[in-house]
Amino acid sequence: MDKIYLDHNATTPVAPEVLDIVTSVLQNQIGNPSSVHSAGRSARVLVDEAREQVALLIGASPSEIVFTSGGTEANNFALLGVAFGMGKPGGHIITSQVEHPSILNPCRQLENLGFVIDRLKVDERGHIDLQDLEDVLTESTLLVSLQHANSETGVIQDLQKIAEITKKKGVLLHTDAVQSVGKIPLCLQDVAVDMLSLSAHKLNGVKGVGALYLRNGSPDLFSPQCGGGQEKKRRGGTENVAGIAGFGKACELAKRRLESQEPSRLASLRDDFYQLISSQISGVEIFGDLENRLPNTLNVGFSGVEGDTLLIALDMAGVAVSTGSACSSGSGLPSPVLTAMGIPHDKINASIRFSLGCSNTIEEIEQAAKVLASMILLNRSQATSRGTIKN
Ligand SMILES: *Cc1c(COP(=O)(O)O)cnc(C)c1O
């Protein structure tokens, strides 16, 4: 059987339609969008068409989209842009303990520069407490930055309610929606978010492209990346025309998928997968809220099994997944997200994230579950015979 890719929250395969447009632009469009000649104007048209497609997916207007090099840059832009554009050391920013490193690390840098950062805790299901937000929020808070959906657990925060709270206080709200956009519907006409980060490669576009949505009428931000006057002086640098055109196409495809049965198909594939493994093996525990969760994500622990050992064995069997272990996190610490949810380290080191995408089929899910269950049974029987596991 071909390889089974169950790691779509890390990155997704490029959609064939996206590949077509990206290669065609690379081959045929030599212009710089800032050039006045026809080659330049033609590249400009491509960028502007993509801007419309991205805006359409999230209910924004094209003038509110600033293209970046990805989700990381969009997150940095939002945080540093507000901190340096509107604030000064001593300024107050609220975020959470379960954000992506591209939020947590700029926050740490701002803290080192004298900004005051509050990091909201989450409960055992991965949700922030809205009361905590109200308690720390003041009218002079510069910015609230809270993710829409978590990449490790798929847990979705109540953005609507968060936005009601920040709006009432007149405080800017940014959300890292890299994981949610294209997977669940979101219309910015209905949700009072001021800034939102997107990344193309999480929705079948290419790596190295993303965008920051900046609501019209928002205050001027500091631009961490300045150069030529691109993106209305908000983000300098010659645009990644091919990547941006592909991003636009990817958003168009994502919109179509959202309007189809795809989200419910993914959720039922994911739930079938869980049923298949939990009916064959004991000691399986799901991490994160089951109700408010991305349709494609399943984070589970298998008691007595090392996640990393399993990851490597699965990889050799052709199944790609992620773990929350200390080794995988790169920092030497077990997943801060699962840690913030109060999950003990031994359970985190036994956790695996499965994240599905539109190309996954029921046959793949059945095969992956079969391989996984037999590996865990084998691993446990070996561990028991070596006497390394009690009970
Ligand atoms: C992947 C991801 C990012 C970073 O996006 P890049 O385009 O890879 O820089 C940011 N936030 C979340 C939640 C992500 O999953």
Side-chain angles (χ1 to χ4, degrees):
M1 192 162 197
D2 283 345
K3 288 202 181 293
I4 302 175
Y5 186 76
L6 302 179
D7 201 16
H8 290 81
N9 289 8
T11 194
T12 55
V14 175
E17 296 90 333
V18 172
L19 193 60
D20 279 350
I21 185 161
V22 170
T23 45
S24 138
V25 172
L26 286 172
Q27 279 173 343
N28 307 316
Q29 299 280 343
I30 62 168
N32 182 324
S34 299
S35 298
V36 177
H37 47 62
S38 60
R41 290 200 311 274
S42 158
R44 164 71 46 214
V45 168
L46 287 167
V47 171
D48 286 341
E49 279 174 1
R51 204 184 301 282
E52 282 175 28
Q53 290 166 313
V54 174
L56 204 58
L57 177 61
I58 55 174
S61 94
S63 60
E64 297 173 313
I65 303 297
V66 182
F67 287 116
T68 67
S69 64
T72 297
E73 188 192 323
N75 283 341
N76 273 261
F77 187 4
L79 290 164
L80 305 180
V82 171
F84 298 141
M86 304 168 58
K88 54 180 189 308
H92 181 218
I93 293 172
I94 299 171
T95 184
S96 83
Q97 294 180 357
V98 295
E99 301 294 321
H100 189 266
S102 56
I103 295 286
L104 292 176
N105 288 328
C107 281
R108 168 96 38 226
Q109 285 183 315
L110 288 170
E111 200 166 42
N112 291 339
L113 292 169
F115 287 83
V116 178
I117 313 289
D118 267 310
R119 298 171 182 83
L120 302 180
K121 60 180 171 36
V122 294
D123 61 20
E124 67 288 351
R125 294 172 313 144
H127 288 291
I128 63 156
D129 184 338
L130 295 173
Q131 190 58 49
D132 287 349
L133 174 60
E134 298 216 50
D135 289 347
V136 290
L137 189 63
T138 73
E139 261 123 38
S140 58
T141 302
L142 287 172
L143 175 70
V144 173
S145 177
L146 292 169
Q147 67 189 191
H148 191 198
N150 189 275
S151 56
E152 294 182 39
T153 59
V155 171
I156 302 166
Q157 304 293 339
D158 193 340
L159 201 54
Q160 183 77 45
K161 290 238 172 67
I162 291 168
E164 282 165 20
I165 293 169
T166 51
K167 183 147 197 205
K168 206 167 58 194
K169 278 276 186 348
V171 170
L172 286 174
L173 174 62
H174 166 257
T175 188
D176 175 353
V178 167
Q179 285 296 342
S180 60
V181 168
K183 295 195 183 108
I184 53 172
L186 174 67
C187 178
L188 291 172
Q189 272 153 20
D190 305 332
V191 191
V193 167
D194 301 289
M195 284 171 275
L196 175 145
S197 299
L198 295 158
S199 175
H201 77 97
K202 301 285 171 82
L203 45 98
N204 308 100
V206 301
K207 294 159 187 66
V209 191
L212 182 68
Y213 158 86
L214 262 178
R215 187 177 289 276
N216 281 337
S218 297
D220 283 341
L221 301 190
F222 168 82
S223 294
Q225 173 146 328
C226 31
Q230 289 91 352
E231 299 297 282
K232 297 204 197 111
K233 300 204 175 76
R234 296 176 292 189
R235 197 271 186 183
T238 301
E239 299 86 343
N240 176 353
V241 180
I244 288 171
F247 186 17
K249 177 54 81 177
C251 288
E252 183 193 303
L253 297 171
K255 186 163 194 298
R256 232 182 285 156
R257 274 202 306 275
L258 279 175
E259 288 159 1
S260 75
Q261 298 305 309
E262 181 59 14
S264 52
R265 186 192 76 96
L266 275 184
S268 70
L269 270 189
R270 188 243 348 242
D271 295 342
D272 286 351
F273 181 67
Y274 175 71
Q275 287 308 328
L276 284 170
I277 46 179
S278 60
S279 65
Q280 293 177 72
I281 48 183
S282 59
V284 186
E285 182 182 4
I286 303 187
F287 299 126
D289 185 12
L290 295 184
E291 297 289 308
N292 300 295
R293 191 171 45 142
L294 294 174
N296 78 320
T297 308
L298 174 69
N299 194 318
V300 273
F302 302 101
S303 67
V305 180
E306 274 237 319
D308 284 319
T309 310
L310 210 50
L311 179 148
I312 290 162
L314 281 170
D315 186 36
M316 291 198 301
V319 183
V321 300
S322 284
T323 72
S325 75
C327 287
S328 296
S329 74
S331 66
L333 291 171
S335 154
V337 172
L338 299 179
T339 303
M341 288 161 63
I343 299 164
H345 288 179
D346 60 324
K347 285 196 179 184
I348 298 178
N349 285 332
S351 73
I352 302 231
R353 176 189 70 188
F354 302 92
S355 50
L356 281 54
C358 55
S359 62
N360 288 136
T361 62
I362 184 69
E363 290 76 21
E364 288 182 321
I365 291 310
E366 286 169 355
Q367 173 70 10
K370 198 168 117 196
V371 169
L372 177 67
S374 64
M375 273 175 190
I376 291 173
L377 290 173
L378 181 68
N379 189 298
R380 282 183 182 160
S381 70
Q382 286 171 342
T384 314
S385 63
R386 283 199 307 271
T388 52
I389 290 186
K390 323 265 177 311
N391 78 44

